[in-house]
């Protein structure tokens, strides 16, 4: 079972040391603001713990010729936490995903998903640093900066522009 508050607090502490030196002061303030907003919203922690795939990308989901689910692969990142976490990968499904968000009628969901994507950007940047993959680091820092810039637009995008 993943305690998301503890998990994300550790990520923030680690980011202050390793990632923040690569950001501008206003970007650091914005990241801090988004973490504080997430931590202070009780709604974010009011969920029924569920099994997560935690890497539910379009290339891990198989459908048959009738577009019916036929398989899911890569369960290496599974855990138990907020089921909404798996939704961060679904914008790749475009219209069905947008319809799903509309039907949820949940004002906070988009902010929570963008927070989860922001944490994925930070984790990707760590991976880029640790593996000395400058291309990965640059892509994720660009995504992070664009996500912060577009936060109030209320869109959920894996790679925001």
């Amino acid at each position: 079972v993943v305690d998301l508050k503890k998990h994300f607090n550790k990520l923030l502490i680690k980011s202050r040391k390793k990632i923040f030196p690569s950001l501008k002061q206003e970007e650091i303030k914005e990241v801090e603001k988004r973490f504080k907003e997430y931590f202070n919203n009780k709604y974010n922690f009011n969920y029924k713990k569920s099994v997560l795939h935690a890497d539910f990308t379009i290339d891990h989901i198989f459908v048959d010729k009738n577009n019916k689910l036929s398989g899911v692969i890569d369960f290496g990142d599974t855990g138990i936490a907020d089921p909404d976490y798996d939704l961060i990968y679904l914008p790749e499904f475009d219209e069905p995903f947008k319809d799903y968000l509309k039907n949820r009628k949940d004002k906070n969901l988009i902010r929570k998903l963008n927070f989860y994507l922001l944490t994925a950007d930070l984790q990707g940047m760590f991976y880029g640093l640790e593996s000395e993959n400058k291309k990965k680091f640059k892509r994720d820092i660009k995504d992070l900066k664009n996500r912060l810039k577009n936060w109030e637009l209320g869109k959920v995008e894996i790679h925001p522009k």
Side-chain angles (χ1 to χ4, degrees), residues 28-158:
I28 294 169
K29 285 180 186 176
E30 194 67 21
V31 170
E32 293 274 1
K33 176 181 174 182
R34 298 308 168 193
F35 271 86
K36 185 176 181 181
E37 179 183 88
Y38 175 81
F39 290 144
N40 289 336
N41 187 339
K42 291 183 289 187
Y43 164 85
N44 291 326
F45 305 98
N46 185 20
Y47 55 83
K48 184 179 178 188
K49 291 180 174 92
S50 302
V51 174
L52 303 181
H53 184 279
D55 193 12
F56 206 47
T57 59
I58 201 165
D59 53 329
H60 294 156
I61 301 167
F62 295 96
V63 293
D64 64 19
K65 63 185 175 188
N66 299 316
N67 280 334
K68 298 223 184 238
L69 180 67
S70 62
V72 177
I73 61 168
D74 189 4
F75 290 87
D77 296 322
T78 57
I80 298 174
D82 180 0
D84 287 339
Y85 187 84
D86 271 340
L87 297 177
I88 67 172
Y89 301 102
L90 299 185
E92 294 175 298
F93 288 95
D94 199 32
E95 289 307 315
F97 178 71
K98 289 175 187 171
D99 290 343
Y100 173 80
L101 290 179
K102 282 183 214 164
N103 290 329
R104 275 280 295 260
K105 296 180 177 141
D106 182 343
K107 290 184 258 178
N108 191 66
L109 180 61
I110 290 173
R111 293 184 85 76
K112 182 167 61 164
L113 294 179
N114 276 318
F115 175 78
Y116 289 161
L117 284 163
L118 180 142
T119 65
D121 295 337
L122 291 170
Q123 290 166 337
M125 291 164 69
F126 279 114
Y127 178 80
L129 285 174
E130 291 162 3
S131 64
E132 298 181 8
N133 183 336
K134 290 178 184 178
K135 189 175 180 181
K136 169 89 174 128
F137 182 84
K138 285 181 181 179
R139 188 186 80 210
D140 287 318
I141 199 167
K142 179 182 175 194
D143 285 350
L144 176 95
K145 289 176 179 210
N146 287 333
R147 191 172 321 286
L148 293 172
K149 187 172 58 176
N150 299 326
W151 193 273
E152 297 303 329
L153 296 178
K155 294 180 182 178
V156 180
E157 300 175 302
I158 294 176

Side-chain angles (χ1 to χ4, degrees), residues 11-22:
L11 177 64
L12 178 59
I13 291 166
K14 188 176 169 186
S15 296
R16 286 176 179 143
K17 294 176 186 169
K18 301 272 187 180
I19 302 297
F20 284 14
S22 300

